Amino acid sequence: MQINKNAEKLIRQLNNQGYEAFIVGGCVRDYLLGLTPHDTDICTNALPEQTKKCFEAYHTFDTGIKHGTISVVCGGEVYEITTYRIDGDYSDNRHPDSVSFTRNINEDLRRRDFTVNAMAYNAEYGLVDPYGGKNDLKDKIIRCVGNPDTRFNEDALRILRALRFASVYGFSIEENTSKSIFKNADLLKNIATERVTSEFLKLICGKDAVKILDAYRKTIAVIIPEITAMFNFDQNNIHHSYDLWQHTLTALGTIEPNPILRMTMLLHDIGKPPVKTTDNSGQSHFQGHQLESKKIADKILHRLRLPSDFINKTLLLIEYHDVRFNGSKKLMKKVMNVLGTELTKQLLEVEYADISAQSEYQREEKLGYLETAKTHLNEIIKDNECFKLSQLDINGKDVLNLGVKEGRDVGNILDYLLMLVVDANVPNKKSILISKAKEYIYGNQINK
Ligand SMILES: Nc1ccn([C@@H]2O[C@H](COP(=O)(O)OP(=O)(O)OP(=O)(O)O)[C@@H](O)[C@H]2O)c(=O)n1
């Protein structure tokens, strides 16, 4: 196995002082999968103070000395070197109450979550794989090391990690591990939100996200109880051939694996159940569900402690996801004015995914309009067509120079001019806009 050069150097340094050391955990899994690991962890039988002594010539810091971890900087990168350890009880389902160090690598591997994460490697010994991780990788299986109930009670985040690995790598979850996930799902309530959210975003961006979200929907509902309302919710109208949950998942699976876009699809229709009405023919209607969905999503996204930029973008996409572009370039400019260029591009992806997950009724027509909308968007960008105030060929100073004194009036005049340019095809030319501004000032008696 061709491993990270710096890690090799650090292992050699420990060996030179008479200690054993391996790369361990996720990086071994990723190497065996032919992926480049994003970090390389090292474990050793050297005690933390001994590790520190080995790296006196390096920059080191005590990351988690109580748990045996020293960080060493090598080749400009930080490597965690952890003494082989056995964890004590986990009374909080999160952290061990105590840890003790061991000289035996197999004991260290035994405390780890899944067989595929419980392997170690160095050039001298080769692969250390006491729990069959390599085989499980080959068979694409996520299986707990030892008793799954024990593993999930030690750290309940492992429940979501199992779902995340299955989703990202396209693996299945071994039967006993799976049963234990269902049994222990409520323990996820004990886990810090940030840890849950970080795993959840990876999960929904995995290649098998749809399969996992569906099979483990009750587990996901422990962290987002609001999704329960979507399960088996009959949409019963001409635009839909799936129930709401299946529609949501199909749309989610259609859109690219970007956390904001996947989250948007997961929540875009979550407000439908509360606003459902039925007409005489038995057809369902969801008047105003976009705003209801936005309201519910707002609560969920804040609860998940997502960054405000993430929340704002997701909520705008949810609010606008049903703007059906109808061939009007003006409508596109109005949407671009509110969402900006990048988010409007993403809105088109959201709409494509949404329409593709609806029934075939008018689908061709809807997708045709979406194509036109895309053409309009590209034209507007390419030709630098005006859709926002900052693009107007006139600014606040120019309006002030016309004798307008109130800031509010300046704002109203600029909004009016933008409306003329976007809605009435008035050319975006300073001389013309000045004369239009003068007409407005006169008509509204602003300088009187
Ligand atoms: N709740 C956890 C978290 C981690 N581990 C162990 O610690 C290793 C390193 O964990 P981490 O860096 O968090 O995740 P990786 O498995 O490396 O996966 P990724 O880097 O893709 O998140 C894991 O492989 C696993 O052996 C564990 O047993 N239980």
Side-chain angles (χ1 to χ4, degrees):
M1 195 184 306
Q2 192 57 51
I3 71 166
N4 179 296
K5 291 277 173 249
N6 295 327
E8 254 174 5
K9 188 170 162 193
L10 296 173
I11 289 175
R12 226 177 302 125
Q13 175 78 6
L14 283 156
N15 292 161
N16 289 343
Q17 305 298 314
Y19 302 111
E20 186 181 86
F22 294 89
I23 61 164
V24 69
C27 62
V28 180
R29 173 198 72 221
D30 285 347
Y31 278 125
L32 289 172
L33 285 172
L35 305 170
T36 308
H38 51 82
D39 52 21
T40 305
D41 294 331
I42 295 169
C43 62
T44 178
N45 61 0
L47 293 170
E49 290 307 327
Q50 295 170 325
T51 302
K52 263 174 102 167
K53 209 154 185 330
C54 281
F55 295 104
E56 269 171 347
Y58 290 68
H59 181 54
T60 66
F61 41 99
D62 302 350
T63 314
I65 198 136
K66 234 178 72 199
H67 295 105
T69 304
I70 307 286
S71 292
V72 181
V73 182
C74 182
E77 306 218 1
V78 179
Y79 293 84
E80 291 195 345
I81 305 184
T82 305
T83 305
Y84 302 159
R85 62 173 225 230
I86 303 171
D87 294 340
D89 289 341
Y90 285 73
S91 44
D92 61 357
N93 313 119
R94 279 174 285 191
H95 313 102
D97 301 335
S98 61
V99 303
S100 53
F101 300 129
T102 166
R103 309 281 302 170
N104 183 338
I105 177 72
N106 284 357
E107 287 188 332
D108 179 277
L109 295 175
R110 191 164 58 210
R111 71 177 167 86
R112 293 175 183 268
D113 50 7
F114 308 113
T115 59
V116 294
N117 289 342
M119 293 181 276
Y121 173 88
N122 70 23
E124 191 185 339
Y125 288 84
L127 190 68
V128 185
D129 178 22
Y131 305 105
K134 193 174 173 191
N135 246 337
D136 281 344
L137 268 189
K138 181 173 69 59
D139 296 338
K140 301 184 173 224
I141 289 175
I142 299 297
R143 180 200 313 269
C144 280
V145 173
N147 182 331
D149 287 348
T150 312
R151 290 288 90 85
F152 292 137
N153 273 278
E154 286 168 350
D155 180 2
L157 187 72
R158 289 170 169 168
I159 292 171
L160 266 193
R161 279 171 60 84
L163 305 189
R164 185 254 286 193
F165 288 126
S167 167
V168 170
Y169 296 133
F171 284 15
S172 54
I173 300 178
E174 178 270 334
E175 199 182 330
N176 286 329
T177 301
S178 183
K179 278 186 187 152
S180 181
I181 287 175
F182 289 122
K183 181 172 154 196
N184 294 298
D186 266 352
L187 295 177
L188 275 171
K189 290 179 183 154
N190 302 342
I191 301 301
T193 307
E194 287 77 4
R195 295 179 79 206
V196 166
T197 299
S198 151
E199 286 300 331
F200 186 64
L201 292 182
K202 292 180 197 163
L203 189 171
I204 61 175
C205 289
K207 61 178 171 198
D208 267 358
V210 169
K211 190 173 128 191
I212 296 298
L213 286 170
D214 200 20
Y216 293 90
R217 56 187 179 277
K218 289 192 178 143
T219 310
I220 303 300
V222 173
I223 49 176
I224 313 182
E226 292 87 344
I227 62 169
T228 312
M230 294 199 276
F231 302 161
N232 304 316
F233 179 82
D234 186 358
Q235 306 203 74
N236 188 27
N237 81 27
I238 197 161
H239 294 282
H240 289 282
S241 44
Y242 296 120
D243 72 27
L244 182 55
W245 180 240
Q246 291 310 321
H247 164 72
T248 296
L249 290 184
T250 309
L252 184 145
T254 304
I255 206 147
E256 67 170 285
N258 159 309
I260 289 181
L261 295 180
R262 288 269 163 120
M263 188 65 93
T264 299
M265 290 342 291
L266 182 68
L267 304 179
H268 77 287
D269 276 349
I270 200 163
K272 277 185 172 177
V275 302
K276 181 177 177 174
T277 54
T278 310
D279 67 18
N280 290 340
S281 67
Q283 285 250 322
S284 299
H285 296 272
F286 306 103
Q287 209 66 40
H289 85 271
Q290 301 86 353
L291 285 178
E292 187 64 23
S293 298
K294 183 182 174 189
K295 203 167 94 193
I296 298 171
D298 192 9
K299 251 173 79 184
I300 295 170
L301 298 172
H302 276 99
R303 199 176 61 231
L304 292 176
R305 304 231 172 107
L306 283 152
S308 54
D309 181 60
F310 186 112
I311 296 180
N312 295 339
K313 286 179 174 161
T314 309
L315 293 181
L316 278 170
L317 290 173
I318 292 174
E319 181 176 349
Y320 282 81
H321 78 266
D322 270 334
V323 169
R324 285 290 173 258
F325 293 98
N326 52 8
S328 151
K329 201 172 193 178
K330 280 179 205 163
L331 178 58
M332 173 53 85
K333 287 184 183 174
K334 288 190 170 159
V335 171
M336 288 173 81
N337 181 266
V338 181
L339 301 192
T341 307
E342 287 316 305
L343 208 56
T344 305
K345 283 184 188 166
Q346 295 193 315
L347 181 70
L348 297 183
E349 288 190 52
V350 166
E351 297 211 12
Y352 178 83
D354 191 17
I355 293 168
S356 306
Q358 294 176 353
S359 70
E360 288 191 3
Y361 176 71
Q362 293 180 338
R363 186 189 285 168
E364 289 306 307
E365 199 181 332
K366 293 177 197 168
L367 291 177
Y369 278 132
L370 208 55
E371 272 310 306
T372 310
K374 223 177 262 175
T375 309
H376 283 155
L377 177 93
N378 290 333
E379 276 172 15
I380 292 166
I381 298 169
K382 185 167 114 317
D383 300 338
N384 198 19
E385 290 182 44
C386 176
F387 62 85
K388 60 183 177 197
L389 287 179
S390 62
Q391 289 174 305
L392 273 181
D393 198 22
I394 180 171
N395 59 29
K397 224 164 139 201
D398 298 320
V399 179
L400 286 171
N401 287 341
L402 298 176
V404 178
K405 293 189 182 62
E406 297 281 336
R408 194 178 27 138
D409 288 331
V410 174
N412 287 341
I413 291 167
L414 289 173
D415 284 342
Y416 170 72
L417 295 175
L418 181 65
M419 190 269 291
L420 288 183
V421 170
V422 171
D423 279 345
N425 291 329
V426 167
N428 185 19
K429 269 211 155 73
K430 190 164 186 165
S431 56
I432 298 173
L433 297 177
I434 294 270
S435 75
K436 293 288 176 194
K438 281 182 183 161
E439 276 172 35
Y440 184 94
I441 292 166
Y442 181 75
N444 291 280
Q445 306 203 330
I446 284 176
N447 287 349
K448 284 276 151 64

